[in-house]
Amino acid sequence: MGFGKADIAAFVKSRAKDVKVSDMKDMADVLAGKRTLSKTNELGNNSIENEER
Amino acid sequence: MTYEDYADLAAEMNILLRYIDDELVEKIPQKIIEFFQDIASPHFKSRIDPRLPLDQQLLLPSTEAMLTLLYRQYWCTDEEREELDHLLLEGEEARVEQDQATFDNIFQKIESNEVDFVNESDNLPIEVQENTIMDRIRSILDALTELFKKLFNKD
């Protein structure tokens, strides 16, 4: 038996104060394709391109 | 977050989704499931133990944020979303206050060392500033809902 809605609801509420809305927005932008991700380059700098579609 | 962060997050989400009830997973748009599958790191070592309840799992902070996003968008009722948003805003408010306390502490240290420094923060309308931040966060939460409706509405 897996994790159900009640388990997830309790978990999410217990962590909500530590979750940053800005992180959620970043994830939403990535999932929506509004921001593309690039792998870390040879210099070790992460390159992230912003794309507003 | 970097690409590598997302790769780890995706790998952990792929594993976590195996243990989440099918009826909930089915509510997530296929595009999102495929995104997790596409970018998942093959090197990520999961600490998920299906024998333990969810609140005892050692998840990445980013996985917790993603779970919050999915719960807010696909699994909760409107009332539950309002309750969650309230908790999210409380957390943001606490961080703003903590940041302000940190800044105040820095200024106190500067003043105690008699550094010639003009404390311009005294002139800033802090309450107005905080309200603006909270309004912005509320608008971000509203925008998230609309964004997902437009892009991933399965109906």
Side-chain angles (χ1 to χ4, degrees), chain B residues 109-126:
Chain B
K109 282 182 179 174
I110 290 169
E111 286 167 4
S112 65
N113 289 332
E114 297 181 355
V115 175
D116 185 17
F117 186 86
V118 178
N119 189 349
E120 293 181 2
S121 72
D122 289 344
N123 299 325
L124 293 175
I126 302 299

Side-chain angles (χ1 to χ4, degrees), chain A residues 3-44:
Chain A
F3 303 129
K5 182 182 165 181
D7 302 311
I8 295 170
F11 179 82
V12 163
K13 285 176 195 171
S14 71
R15 304 293 200 279
K17 288 182 182 175
D18 295 322
V19 171
K20 291 181 181 174
V21 173
S22 56
D23 287 345
M24 289 170 62
K25 183 183 183 303
D26 186 71
M27 290 173 186
D29 285 344
V30 169
L31 291 175
K34 291 179 78 177
R35 186 164 84 73
T36 54
L37 298 170
S38 301
K39 289 187 178 179
T40 306
N41 62 30
E42 289 178 359
L43 295 174

